[in-house]
Structure formats: C-alpha cells, structure tokens
C-alpha cells in the first residue's frame, strides 16, 4: 500500500490542503466510464456531418464478371443487304455459343442534382450531429452534479464524524466527572448512569458515522479514481447565494432556451419532421447526372459452329426517376412518421413543463436560502449560549448532568444542521445552473473556494 504522503500527492493534496470540487470534477472527467461513453457517442455523432455532405457528391462504381457463359439468339423477318448481294427480305439470323468463357465489365458514375428525399436525409444527419453535441453537454453536466453530490456527501460525513467525536470527548469527560462527584457524595448515582448511557450511545453513533464516511469516500473514489483511504475534501461550504438572485422569469427564459434536455427534445422533433419529409408526396423523384460505359464479350463454338458476340455501350446524360406506385408503402410509412412526430412534439411540451417546474422550485428554495441560513445560524448561536449557561449551571449545581448532555447534543445538532443547509443550498444553485445550461467549471470552483475552515 502506498504511504499516506504518496497517496496525498497522487490526489494533488499536500499538507493540510484538501481537494476542492473542481479538482474532483477534473479527475472524474478523466476517470468516470460514463464520460468515455458520452465522448465516444459525441465523436460518432460528428461523423454524420461528413455523411450529410457526402450525399451530394458523385459516386463511381465498377463491375467486372467472368466465367462460363452461353448465348443463343434468333432473329426472323430481318432485311439483309450487302455489296454485290443486293437486298434480301425476311432473312433469319441464328447464333449459338455454348458453355464458353466470357466476361463483362462496366463502370458508371452518378451525381444527384435533385432529390427531396436526399435533402431531408442530409438535414436529418446534420441535426443528429447537433443532437450528439447537446447529449455530450448534458452528460457532462450530469457528471458535474453527481460529482458535486458525492463530494459534498463526503464533506458532510466528515463534519458529522468530527462533531460526534467532539461530543464523544465531552460526554466521556462528563462521565468521569459524574463518577468522581458520586464518589465524593456530591452527585446522585443517576448522573453516572445517564452519562454512561449517553457515552455508549455516542460510541455507537461514532461507529456509524465512520461507516457512512467510508461509504461516501468510496463513492467519490469510484467517480474520481482517487484512493479512498487518503481521500480528503474541503469542509461544507459557506452560503454562496449572498447576492440577490435574478428574477424568476429570467431563469425560466434561460431554461427554455438552453436547458440541455429541452434542446435534445427540440432536435428530436426536428429529426422527426425530416423523417416525414422523406416520405412526402414527390419526395421520391430524383434527377441525376449519369455516365456509364460497359462491354461484354463471348466467343466459342455452338450449334452453328464457332461464333462470338461483343457488345459495347456508353451513356452520358441525365436520368430522371419518378416512383409511380409503391403498393401504398410510402404513404403508410408517412402516416406512421406523422404520428411519431406528434409524439415527439407532445414529449417536448411535457419536458418544457417539467423543466419550468424544476427551475421554479430551485429558484424558490434559493430565494429563501439566506433567510433559512440566518435562522439556522441564530439557532446555532442560541444553542451554544445555552450550552455555555448549562456548563456554568452544572458547575454551581443548578443543572444536572443530563441537562448538560442534552445541551451538548443540541449544540452539535444545530451545527450539523447549518452545514447541511449550506450544502443543500450550494447543490441547489448548481442544479439551477444545470437546468439553465450554465453549469461549468467556474461554478464548481466557486462552490468550494469560500468554504469555511473546519473547527
């Protein structure tokens, strides 16, 4: 196993410095397999732009065939004329070559000039490439949020363990004092029993907190590739939403324009429309520039003796293709695609509603964040003042050991609740930025750069 200092260096952490959220994200981007999947999908999507361009380029094909061939022709009612022979009507010609070697070759070029179906295919491929870009952005932001959630889970688990260990020390101290005072006859035995019970309960809570921390560290290690046994993160962040939030309509407009999920769904609707366009009336009509050349040769013996056939053809011009009847397949396919387009449009409307609801909820929670934090901070100060007063009262005999233990528990709970609230609001801001397509590395850096020092 690596020594601790080597593991810390592997994390980019030295001394008392702990990794921040931006470092965790940068490690996750390199390590998490989901990013490798998303990157491969995005790179595959980019090739569709080249495919769209290639639809209108010329295509050239060559064919060569050879082997045992046979041919028999019979022509009647022909007119034959030749110098010195005059003209003979109703002449018949018969040729035959059996099982002889023959060969043919052909080469042709085609360049599309007009094709509504091909135009729709090209637009669809370009939209698919755009969709791959948006899916990449969505995957990147999803991993950012997941990394932040796991990172702050470790931070809160560290805080919880630290507070419980501090409380454990205080309870054990109270237990020793209770035993000493009972031995001196200055306190009842119930104080000793209450302190002992609380000490054992705190021991169990510390063990549970250690397990929770290990689980949180393992989850973050799986995402970042960092060694879990040396993993350290910054403490829970301070409240970042000190500046007034922009008005809700601004966030809703931004979400409607830039939310990755909505952009994906919008592109899906456009792709569905191009699918329909491929099967619209007249979309199958094509105009192509064509050039062809071919030659076929066969020689050998047959029913009428030795014979040979040679045919050569070439063509340079325009080819027009108009589908007249396809058995109803195109119209049936078009009806199917029209229904799929309606489905995609309905899904877009549903997604818009959901994103608006999520954006509104996140904004409202952040809007109340400053007041909630202020109230929780006041509760922490009050619980700390109560603890100080209870400690003094315990020294002069006005408060019992149970009163002191309860005050210590309440103060620790208030401190942990404040850390949880700050973390919740920080994650809420990151979610709001993701909903509006604005989550980036700068936001991750800001989320921990002002974190308070651990006490």
């Amino acid at each position: 196993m690596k020594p601790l200092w080597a593991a810390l260096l592997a994390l980019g952490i030295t001394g008392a410095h702990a990794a921040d959220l931006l470092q965790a994200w940068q490690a996750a981007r390199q390590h998490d397999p989901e990013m490798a999947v998303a990157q491969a999908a995005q790179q595959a999507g980019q090739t569709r732009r080249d495919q769209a361009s290639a639809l209108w380029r010329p295509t050239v094909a060559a064919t060569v065939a050879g082997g045992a061939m046979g041919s028999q022709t019979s022509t009647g009612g022909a007119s034959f004329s030749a110098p010195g022979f005059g003209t003979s009507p109703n002449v018949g010609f018969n040729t035959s070559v059996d099982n002889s070697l023959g060969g043919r070759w052909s080469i042709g070029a085609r360049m599309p000039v007009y094709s509504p179906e091909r135009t729709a295919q090209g637009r669809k491929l370009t939209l698919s490439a755009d969709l791959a870009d948006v899916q990449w952005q969505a995957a990147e932001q999803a991993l950012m949020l997941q990394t932040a959630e796991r990172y702050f889970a470790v931070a809160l688990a560290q805080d919880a363990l630290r507070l419980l260990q501090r409380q454990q020390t205080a309870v054990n101290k109270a237990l020793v004092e209770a035993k000493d005072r009972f031995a001196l006859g200055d306190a009842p035995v119930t104080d000793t029993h209450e302190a002992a019970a609380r000490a054992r309960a705190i021991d169990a809570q510390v063990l549970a907190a250690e397990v929770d921390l290990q689980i949180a560290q393992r989850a973050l290690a799986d995402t970042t590739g960092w060694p879990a046994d040396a993993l350290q993160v910054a403490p829970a962040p301070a409240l970042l939403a000190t500046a007034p939030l922009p008005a809700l309509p601004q966030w809703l407009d931004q979400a409607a324009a830039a939310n990755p999920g909505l952009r994906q769904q919008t592109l899906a609707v456009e792709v569905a429309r191009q699918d329909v366009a491929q099967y619209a009336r007249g979309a199958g009509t094509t105009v192509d520039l064509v050039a062809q050349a071919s030659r076929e040769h066969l020689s050998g013996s047959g029913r009428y003796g030795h014979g040979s056939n040679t045919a050569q053809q070439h063509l340079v011009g325009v080819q027009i293709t108009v589908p007249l009847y396809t058995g109803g397949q195109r119209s049936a396919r078009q009806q199917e695609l029209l229904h799929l387009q309606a489905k995609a449009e309905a899904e877009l409307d549903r997604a818009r509603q959901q994103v608006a609801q999520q954006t509104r909820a996140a904004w409202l929670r952040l809007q109340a964040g400053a007041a909630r934090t202020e109230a929780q901070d006041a509760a922490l100060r009050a619980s700390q003042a109560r603890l100080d007063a209870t400690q003094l009262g315990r020294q002069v005999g006005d408060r019992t050991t149970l009163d002191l233990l309860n005050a210590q528990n309440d103060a620790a709970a208030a401190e942990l609740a404040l850390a949880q609230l700050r973390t919740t609001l920080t994650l809420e801001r990151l979610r709001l930025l993701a909903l509006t397509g604005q989550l980036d590395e700068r936001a991750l850096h800001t989320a921990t750069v002002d974190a308070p020092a651990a006490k």
Side-chain angles (χ1 to χ4, degrees):
M1 181 180 293
K2 294 181 179 179
L4 182 58
W5 66 268
L8 291 174
L9 287 176
L11 290 177
I13 303 169
T14 58
H17 176 65
D20 61 25
L21 180 55
L22 180 58
Q23 290 174 314
W25 154 245
Q26 291 170 343
R29 183 172 54 186
Q30 299 296 324
H31 176 78
D32 194 271
E34 288 298 327
M35 286 304 295
V37 172
Q39 186 173 20
Q42 191 259 353
Q43 291 172 344
Q46 293 312 302
T47 64
R48 294 170 193 154
R49 301 188 195 277
D50 296 333
Q51 295 176 45
S53 299
L55 288 173
W56 296 98
R57 294 175 187 152
T59 58
V60 181
T63 303
V64 178
M69 299 175 61
S71 174
Q72 183 172 344
T73 63
S74 178
T75 302
S79 177
F80 174 79
S81 64
F85 290 94
T87 299
S88 301
N90 296 320
V91 176
F93 293 95
N94 295 307
T95 63
S96 174
V97 178
D98 299 325
N99 297 323
S100 298
L101 293 177
R104 67 167 64 98
W105 62 263
S106 67
I107 185 169
R110 180 187 300 268
M111 187 175 76
V113 176
Y114 172 80
S115 173
E117 183 174 353
R118 195 178 290 261
T119 298
Q121 289 176 347
R123 291 173 180 167
K124 181 180 174 181
L125 287 167
T126 301
L127 289 169
S128 297
D130 295 339
L131 181 59
D133 289 336
V134 177
Q135 288 172 337
W136 162 257
Q137 181 191 6
E140 189 176 52
Q141 293 205 347
L143 183 59
M144 282 185 180
L145 278 178
Q146 181 189 75
T147 304
E149 289 168 355
R150 293 184 175 183
Y151 178 92
F152 289 131
V154 174
L156 281 177
Q158 288 178 169
D159 278 352
L161 179 59
R162 174 178 56 81
L163 291 171
L164 284 171
Q165 288 173 337
R166 191 176 69 189
Q167 194 175 355
Q168 183 183 44
T169 300
V171 170
N172 288 334
K173 180 180 178 181
L175 176 58
V176 172
E177 291 177 355
K179 288 180 178 179
D180 292 343
R181 297 183 71 170
F182 173 71
L184 296 173
D186 191 32
V189 70
T190 53
D191 282 7
T192 302
H193 294 326
E194 288 167 351
R198 187 63 61 89
R200 300 293 79 77
I202 288 295
D203 290 343
Q205 292 176 23
V206 168
L207 290 174
E210 289 174 346
V211 172
D212 290 343
L213 177 58
Q214 292 174 14
I215 293 173
Q217 287 174 328
R218 182 69 267 171
L220 183 57
D222 289 342
T223 297
T224 60
W226 290 344
D229 56 350
L231 198 152
Q232 299 179 33
V233 303
L239 180 64
L240 299 178
T242 52
L245 284 172
L248 178 58
Q250 292 182 241
W251 290 101
L252 293 175
D253 291 343
Q254 179 67 25
N259 177 269
L262 285 183
R263 292 176 62 196
Q264 289 182 64
Q265 198 60 49
T266 301
L267 288 170
V269 170
E270 292 300 321
V271 169
R273 289 173 180 167
Q274 296 308 317
D275 282 336
V276 173
Q278 284 185 245
Y279 289 87
R281 183 181 298 274
T285 300
T286 61
V287 178
D288 301 304
L289 299 178
V290 295
Q292 298 174 347
S294 64
R295 184 178 188 276
E296 181 176 313
H297 178 73
L298 171 66
S299 65
S301 60
R303 182 181 302 177
Y304 310 104
H306 183 81
S308 66
N309 289 327
T310 300
Q312 298 184 85
Q313 294 181 342
H314 69 272
L315 169 68
V316 176
V318 178
Q319 177 176 299
I320 300 175
T321 304
V322 180
L324 300 178
Y325 181 66
T326 61
Q329 187 272 339
R330 288 184 67 88
S331 60
R333 177 61 173 159
Q334 184 187 31
Q335 289 301 312
E336 177 193 3
L337 293 172
L338 282 170
H339 292 305
L340 292 176
Q341 177 185 331
K343 174 177 176 288
E345 290 170 346
E347 290 174 342
L348 175 58
D349 291 338
R350 181 182 62 186
R352 283 174 177 155
Q353 186 181 66
Q354 291 174 344
V355 168
Q357 290 173 347
Q358 294 168 359
T359 303
R360 184 177 293 104
W363 184 87
L364 289 172
R365 284 191 285 265
L366 280 173
Q367 188 73 5
R372 292 173 60 194
T373 303
E374 184 178 350
Q376 190 62 55
D377 190 56
L380 174 59
R381 291 195 302 269
S383 64
Q384 189 63 50
R386 176 195 170 199
L387 175 58
D388 295 340
T390 304
Q391 288 174 333
L392 180 59
R394 181 69 183 88
Q395 293 173 2
V396 299
D398 290 338
R399 291 291 187 268
T400 66
T401 300
L402 181 59
D403 293 334
L404 178 59
L405 296 177
N406 288 336
Q408 290 171 342
N409 183 73
D410 291 345
E415 187 173 346
L416 182 59
L418 180 59
Q420 290 171 335
L421 178 58
R422 286 172 171 168
T423 300
T424 298
L425 292 174
T426 299
L427 284 173
E428 202 66 63
R429 175 172 284 272
L430 295 179
R431 292 190 186 101
L432 183 58
L433 292 174
L435 283 167
T436 54
Q438 302 178 80
L439 182 59
D440 54 19
E441 291 190 353
R442 179 180 179 182
L444 297 181
H445 175 66
T446 306
T448 52
V449 70
D450 295 325
K455 298 178 181 179

